[in-house]
Amino acid sequence: MDDPNDLVLAMLGLVIAAIMLVAGALYVINAPDPIPTDRPPPAVQVSPVS
């Protein structure tokens, strides 16, 4: 690292990576439950006419 700006850019990259990791962790913690795909069959409706 000959240029002092390299250190600044590296620190900026680390800050951005840390922010993205925290945001991802918060998303995983607060993500809503997935919609269940295996639902029970609908109830049988009996017609009062028969």
Side-chain angles (χ1 to χ4, degrees):
M1 285 202 222
D2 297 330
D3 189 11
N5 289 331
D6 290 343
L7 180 61
V8 173
L9 289 174
M11 291 173 63
L12 179 64
L14 287 175
V15 167
I16 292 173
I19 290 172
M20 291 177 69
L21 284 172
V22 169
L26 289 174
Y27 174 76
V28 168
I29 291 171
N30 295 324
D33 294 332
I35 299 173
T37 55
D38 52 345
R39 296 181 180 150
V44 178
Q45 295 180 353
V46 179
S47 174
V49 176
S50 60

